Amino acid sequence: MDFIRAAVILSSLLLTALAQKPVLSIEPRSAAINQDDSVSFRCRVVSGSQPVQLEWKRINNQPLGDNVKVGPDGSVLTIALARQSNQGQYRCIATNAQGKTTITAVLTVKQAPKVRVTPSGPVTVRVGGALSLECHVSGKPRPSITWLKQVAGHETVLAYTTTDAKVALQVIVTTAEDAGTFVCRAQNKEGSTEEKVELRMAGGASVAMEPKASVSQTDLTAVEGQAVTMHCQATGHPTPEISWSKLRAPLPWQHKVAGGTLTLTNVGRQDSGQYICNATNAVGYSEAYVQLEVDTPPYATSVPDQVVARRGDTLRLQCIAHGSHPITFRWSRVGGAALSSGAKTTKDGKLTITQLKVSDSGNYKCVATNHVGSGETFATITVRA
């Protein structure tokens, strides 16, 4: 009897252990990455009654973001080309019949310092005149600030601080040598950023100035098939020559360059990337950058697209779409008939039909939709008795 009583107690303990809310682990618990890097968090169910459903949410139910992707089984969350808006806490939520469990991961997106110089230049000052150049810097940890003057490729330090967020530089112009290119440089452990201002002397001889390139827009978004125009300006003496290139790829063959303007016609997804404006003269060179993202409608395919099954089998179809995210999926039967009562669809494009019937035979359509447009694909199902 003692043996039977012990077996009953052991069985009761096992059932209690199995019938429990999910227990979770997450890797990594926190991550600190540079802007434009990618990171993945994996949420794992350590124990708990099956089935367990996983989902990811941000604190305060903020949207995950268009560069955030959750894997097919809900366990892996990936953030691609991270930006400042992705920083924060991400919750993995596991739900089963016994309840709900939440575990949190924290993402920190590091960013190099930001620099703003006023006036932005070029600035012309009369002989005997004075000018105050102000450099405003932000960043964490607080960056050091250095004012320099560039002459013929050499740099002379004029001011330096590690405690202030703004440094003013007083410049008095008495000769042509007092003019030139002044640089404010901010640096912390996340990186270094600088901004230049060209100071000219009115009525004096021209002073050789390094080029400074700038673009009217640093980020552009276009829809496939549209034309895109990028404008670049440059200051310096002698007058800089402007050219365009693309990072790690040639310029699209359908492009035109006129002065500092680059025009791309009939853009496609492959034209996305970073474009570089190069300004060059005898003193030096400068670059400015434009990031282009080309949005495309979904191109959908069904895997598989032909299925022959027997009555009582389980059907599984996956709708896959290439195009700009986020993409939503919708399955239906061609001809307007309702999906079988055993049909189940998921937000990532899966269609599952259990206990197939002969009446489930026919053509099925998946429509994939994003903010640009939609695409559709078909699958033919044959169920034999």
Side-chain angles (χ1 to χ4, degrees), residues 36-377:
D36 294 327
D37 283 353
S38 299
V39 67
S40 292
F41 294 100
R42 180 180 296 275
C43 184
R44 189 169 67 89
V45 180
V46 178
S47 62
S49 302
Q50 296 293 330
V52 177
Q53 181 179 356
L54 295 175
E55 63 176 330
W56 287 87
K57 290 186 178 181
R58 295 197 68 176
I59 299 299
N60 300 326
N61 291 321
Q62 298 172 342
L64 288 177
D66 58 6
N67 62 331
V68 180
K69 176 71 174 178
V70 177
D73 63 354
S75 65
V76 178
L77 177 136
T78 299
I79 302 167
L81 298 174
R83 46 185 180 258
Q84 283 295 306
S85 60
N86 296 128
Q87 181 167 289
Q89 299 183 20
Y90 292 82
R91 296 182 298 156
C92 174
I93 304 170
T95 306
N96 65 6
Q98 278 64 49
K100 181 183 295 185
T101 303
T102 299
I103 191 168
T104 302
V106 180
L107 175 66
T108 301
V109 180
K110 300 183 288 186
Q111 188 178 30
K114 294 183 178 180
V115 176
R116 178 172 58 89
V117 172
T118 56
S120 58
V123 181
T124 302
V125 180
R126 294 184 178 277
V127 175
L131 179 69
S132 177
L133 300 174
E134 289 190 353
C135 181
H136 304 260
V137 172
S138 62
K140 291 183 179 181
R142 173 171 285 178
S144 64
I145 306 175
T146 307
W147 268 112
L148 312 104
K149 185 178 181 183
Q150 292 182 338
V151 179
H154 298 285
E155 294 182 339
T156 302
V157 176
L158 304 176
Y160 176 81
T161 182
T162 59
T163 58
D164 299 319
K166 180 182 77 172
V167 176
L169 181 69
Q170 301 294 325
V171 181
I172 300 175
V173 178
T174 56
T175 66
E177 286 72 23
D178 296 323
T181 300
F182 294 82
V183 182
C184 177
R185 182 175 297 151
Q187 187 169 5
N188 62 14
K189 66 179 183 179
E190 309 304 343
S192 177
T193 308
E194 64 181 36
E195 186 167 325
K196 300 179 181 181
V197 58
E198 180 186 343
L199 182 60
R200 301 170 179 171
M201 187 181 75
S206 296
V207 179
M209 302 287 183
E210 288 190 348
K212 179 176 175 58
S214 62
V215 291
S216 55
Q217 289 179 280
T218 57
D219 294 280
L220 291 173
T221 301
V223 175
E224 186 178 46
Q226 289 183 339
V228 174
T229 301
M230 305 178 195
H231 300 284
C232 180
Q233 305 84 33
T235 58
H237 185 81
T239 301
E241 294 184 3
I242 295 177
S243 61
W244 283 91
S245 60
K246 187 181 180 187
L247 182 65
R248 292 192 288 271
L251 287 172
W253 69 273
Q254 287 185 315
H255 79 271
K256 297 178 181 178
V257 177
T261 299
L262 171 65
T263 301
L264 310 179
T265 58
N266 192 27
V267 294
R269 183 73 176 172
Q270 71 280 1
D271 297 324
S272 296
Q274 187 179 75
Y275 290 78
I276 306 169
C277 169
N278 309 274
T280 307
N281 67 8
V283 184
Y285 73 96
S286 173
E287 295 179 346
Y289 308 96
V290 178
Q291 185 67 36
L292 173 64
E293 294 296 331
V294 180
D295 289 338
T296 58
Y299 173 76
T301 56
S302 174
V303 180
D305 59 0
Q306 298 277 344
V307 176
V308 177
R310 293 187 178 276
R311 185 173 57 189
D313 287 351
T314 296
L315 169 71
R316 293 181 178 87
L317 297 178
Q318 174 71 61
C319 187
I320 300 173
H322 301 281
S324 299
H325 288 269
I327 299 175
T328 59
F329 299 90
R330 182 173 59 84
W331 279 99
S332 63
R333 293 193 66 170
V334 176
L339 292 174
S340 169
S341 59
K344 180 181 178 182
T345 61
T346 62
K347 62 182 180 181
D348 61 347
K350 290 179 182 175
L351 169 64
T352 303
I353 303 178
T354 58
Q355 295 295 317
L356 280 170
K357 302 182 289 292
V358 174
S359 59
D360 290 323
S361 297
N363 293 321
Y364 289 73
K365 178 172 72 173
C366 172
V367 178
T369 305
N370 63 10
H371 65 283
V372 182
S374 62
E376 58 185 32
T377 186

